[in-house]
Amino acid sequence: MLGKASTSQPGISAVTVPRSEHGISRDDISENALKVLYRLNKAGYQAYLVGGCVRDLMLGMKPKDFDVVTNATPEQIKEQFYNCRLIGRRFRLAHIVFGREVIEVATFRGHHPGEEEESSASHARRNEHGHLTRDNVFGSIEEDAERRDFTFNAMYYSVVDFAVIDFANGRQAIEKREVDLIGDPQERYREDPVRMLRAIRFAAKLNMTISPRTASPIKEMAGLLTNIPPARLFEETLKLFISGNGVETFKLLQAHGLIEPLFPQLSGFLKADSSREMQFIYRVLENTDARVNNEQRVTPAFLYAALLWYPLEEYAQKMMSESGLSAHDAYNIAMSEVVRKQTQRIMIPKRFSTVIRDIWMLQQRLPRRFGRRAFQILAHPKFRAGYDFLLLRGEIEGGDLLELADWWTQFQDAHPAQQKKMLTTLRNKEGGAPHKPRRKRKPRNNDNA
Ligand code: ATP
Ligand code: MG
């Protein structure tokens, strides 16, 4: 395991950074997190802020949330707080709930028993791929630091002396703006392949480079991600793309061969940046980033609909040409198939997959906007998402699609009289689509009833 092995890798040796040197002020720390730290200290336990919040504070960024670690066990933590819930199966954690803010408190994590002890010890288990599946071992602060992923994530802030204990030279990584794994990268990725995605996420989010030793094994180990449960990958993918740095993240994922294991159906479309397919994906990611950075709502459904749009079109076209299906039937089958295949890798909760289908289905309906149909489309609960999707397609493809998108831009805001006029103009221009003469019904032959 980590501690025993590597000498050439950044190992664990604590350096205490005093208050005067790290620049973290209590004013930047959530009051509730401070309450938790003081309370645990008062009860005689060690307690620290750790991980992302210490890193972000050192970078002068606003932490997303504040995580605490302590030597108190979950049950001991619970004794100290009336507003405490114990959660987690893989590793028991305490959530201290303050209205909308939740402070997560974890007990120091220890090492896993070595392979030889594993069969008798019940704490840590590996599945058939060698991944850790359960790890309930409590440990010391040093062990806890060693088990963390990147050097800048193993810094601990205490309110006893307001110092930061830096176990893996995280401060240097921050100065060099480098994402660097603790320990041997291959071993750390084998233990948990999701760390490859985390390396990319932090590089994009913190605008850092990935150290060469941390980056170099990723391409050949990327395939290990296919063993990660799809539900966990759903969570991780959300963090990757709904973070405000989606464009940069996508580029890094692609450069490190990580799109293929996450979105296998997309891999055939990963062409030059100038290709229509890539332009569309980047346009959608840019749009998502802008929305996230403006604190507007984004739905993962929109993103998945976009990432899988060209695979869907290809599949549907193939069905039409090979099986002679109508566009309607071909798209219906293709939608189910493309979503089904994607969920083998990344779980997509039903509440999103239905929206993905709505967005796709609206792409078929938006061009057929004669008469009453135009109003039915406008009244569709997902009209807005479908229209936004069409708009982005129009921006990339131009031509008829852009014209169609512009038509809908005008139509949705027009007065009823104007709308009527738009529909009449359309009918005259396009030769009055579906006013097919009604076929007379054959009189029923009731003789053999
Ligand atoms: P963010 O601000 O984006 O949430 P974070 O560093 O807080 O970044 P979390 O996913 O919240 O990321 O994890 C909290 C901490 O737990 C990390 O800083 C890291 O020390 C540790 N950690 C999380 N996931 C792993 C992992 N897969 N392997 C090792 N350590 C991990
Ligand atoms: Mg966090």
Side-chain angles (χ1 to χ4, degrees):
M1 293 299 308
L2 273 174
K4 294 181 218 156
S6 47
T7 45
S8 62
Q9 324 297 342
I12 291 297
S13 62
V15 172
T16 302
V17 186
R19 176 174 17 187
S20 58
E21 284 177 34
H22 59 59
I24 297 178
S25 150
R26 259 174 301 168
D27 296 343
D28 303 322
I29 299 171
S30 135
E31 272 182 36
N32 295 322
L34 290 171
K35 269 187 218 160
V36 171
L37 293 173
Y38 283 117
R39 180 66 192 245
L40 287 167
N41 287 159
K42 202 168 158 228
Y45 300 111
Q46 300 169 28
Y48 300 87
L49 287 181
V50 67
C53 61
V54 181
R55 174 198 73 218
D56 290 352
L57 288 170
M58 280 217 180
L59 282 161
M61 296 167 67
K62 193 174 163 4
K64 208 172 59 192
D65 41 37
F66 291 85
D67 295 333
V68 170
V69 272
T70 174
N71 61 347
T73 64
E75 283 69 27
Q76 289 169 329
I77 300 166
K78 194 164 169 47
E79 280 169 15
Q80 296 301 320
F81 301 93
Y82 69 91
N83 47 343
C84 173
R85 278 197 318 245
L86 296 187
I87 59 141
R89 266 181 302 165
R90 189 168 178 235
F91 191 80
R92 298 255 288 163
L93 294 170
H95 275 179
I96 320 289
V97 184
F98 299 91
R100 288 181 58 187
E101 188 179 20
V102 176
I103 306 293
E104 192 172 287
V105 185
T107 308
F108 292 142
R109 251 188 232 203
H111 287 305
H112 303 286
E115 304 294 350
E116 66 285 356
E117 302 155 67
E118 214 165 280
S119 49
S120 53
S122 61
H123 299 302
R125 297 239 167 86
R126 278 163 201 270
N127 63 13
E128 73 269 33
H129 310 293
H131 303 159
L132 302 173
T133 53
R134 209 174 85 179
D135 43 359
N136 263 337
V137 199
F138 301 133
S140 64
I141 187 169
E142 289 80 11
E143 288 171 315
D144 186 89
E146 241 172 273
R147 298 220 33 211
R148 292 189 181 264
D149 46 7
F150 301 101
T151 59
F152 52 46
N153 281 343
M155 297 190 285
Y156 297 68
Y157 172 89
S158 157
V159 288
V160 173
D161 55 4
F162 307 110
V164 168
I165 315 179
D166 178 1
F167 282 95
N169 219 350
R171 212 161 51 128
Q172 191 192 24
I174 283 180
E175 273 158 26
K176 286 170 72 180
R177 302 199 76 83
E178 200 173 67
V179 180
D180 195 27
L181 269 172
I182 298 172
D184 173 48
Q186 293 204 16
E187 190 174 334
R188 302 306 311 277
Y189 292 143
R190 223 173 292 122
E191 272 177 6
D192 183 4
V194 167
R195 290 174 184 146
M196 295 185 267
L197 300 179
R198 292 177 59 85
I200 304 297
R201 178 158 80 83
F202 291 127
K205 166 179 163 157
L206 307 172
N207 192 16
M208 292 186 179
T209 53
I210 306 177
S211 75
R213 62 178 211 100
T214 300
S216 68
I218 295 182
K219 241 187 196 147
E220 88 194 37
M221 299 184 82
L224 292 180
L225 282 170
T226 57
N227 303 322
I228 300 294
R232 183 165 179 220
L233 285 184
F234 176 72
E235 297 298 327
E236 291 297 331
T237 316
L238 276 194
K239 290 191 208 163
L240 286 168
F241 292 121
I242 315 274
S243 63
N245 311 289
V247 173
E248 184 56 24
T249 302
F250 193 91
K251 286 185 177 167
L252 285 172
L253 288 172
Q254 204 190 340
H256 289 89
L258 290 165
I259 296 290
E260 158 75 32
L262 295 179
F263 299 97
Q265 297 177 95
L266 194 56
S267 51
F269 294 94
L270 299 174
K271 303 170 187 164
D273 275 1
S274 57
S275 71
R276 184 184 68 150
E277 290 87 349
M278 294 307 291
Q279 290 274 312
F280 179 61
I281 289 176
Y282 285 131
R283 191 67 201 84
V284 170
L285 289 168
E286 262 167 33
N287 192 257
T288 307
D289 287 349
R291 292 183 68 99
V292 172
N293 295 323
N294 275 327
E295 294 181 14
Q296 284 172 280
R297 235 174 54 83
V298 290
T299 164
F302 195 88
L303 207 67
Y304 278 95
L307 289 170
L308 299 172
W309 172 248
Y310 287 106
L312 171 78
E313 283 224 295
E314 189 184 68
Y315 200 108
Q317 292 301 332
K318 208 172 122 205
M319 299 284 294
M320 281 190 272
S321 63
E322 284 177 9
S323 321
L325 289 175
S326 69
H328 180 267
D329 292 345
Y331 271 91
N332 260 332
I333 295 172
M335 287 195 270
S336 301
E337 265 308 287
V338 169
V339 169
R340 189 188 63 78
K341 282 191 189 163
Q342 182 57 51
T343 50
Q344 291 175 340
R345 291 293 160 84
I346 303 181
M347 192 266 286
I348 304 177
K350 190 120 200 219
R351 65 183 186 283
F352 297 126
S353 61
T354 52
V355 179
I356 295 173
R357 290 182 69 113
D358 281 344
I359 292 172
W360 286 344
M361 186 269 299
L362 280 164
Q363 303 313 298
Q364 316 308 314
R365 283 180 62 185
L366 282 159
R368 300 198 305 261
R369 64 217 133 119
F370 297 98
R372 262 181 33 221
R373 282 188 182 177
F375 296 101
Q376 286 164 353
I377 297 171
L378 210 52
H380 191 284
K382 294 295 161 202
F383 168 77
R384 186 78 217 179
Y387 158 75
D388 283 343
F389 198 89
L390 176 72
L391 211 56
L392 295 175
R393 288 174 60 213
E395 279 179 31
I396 299 304
E397 303 205 6
D400 290 352
L401 216 49
L402 188 59
E403 222 170 88
L404 178 65
D406 286 344
W407 188 91
W408 277 106
T409 306
Q410 276 188 39
F411 186 76
Q412 60 188 301
D413 290 331
H415 297 299
Q418 254 175 312
Q419 285 179 328
K420 211 170 155 194
K421 212 169 131 204
M422 282 178 81
L423 289 171
T424 315
T425 313
L426 189 71
R427 200 165 56 218
N428 295 339
K429 194 172 124 202
E430 306 207 356
H435 276 284
K436 284 187 215 151
R438 277 224 183 148
R439 243 188 293 153
K440 275 207 185 123
R441 252 204 211 149
K442 267 192 203 156
R444 241 199 226 177
N445 180 355
N446 282 333
D447 289 353
N448 47 11

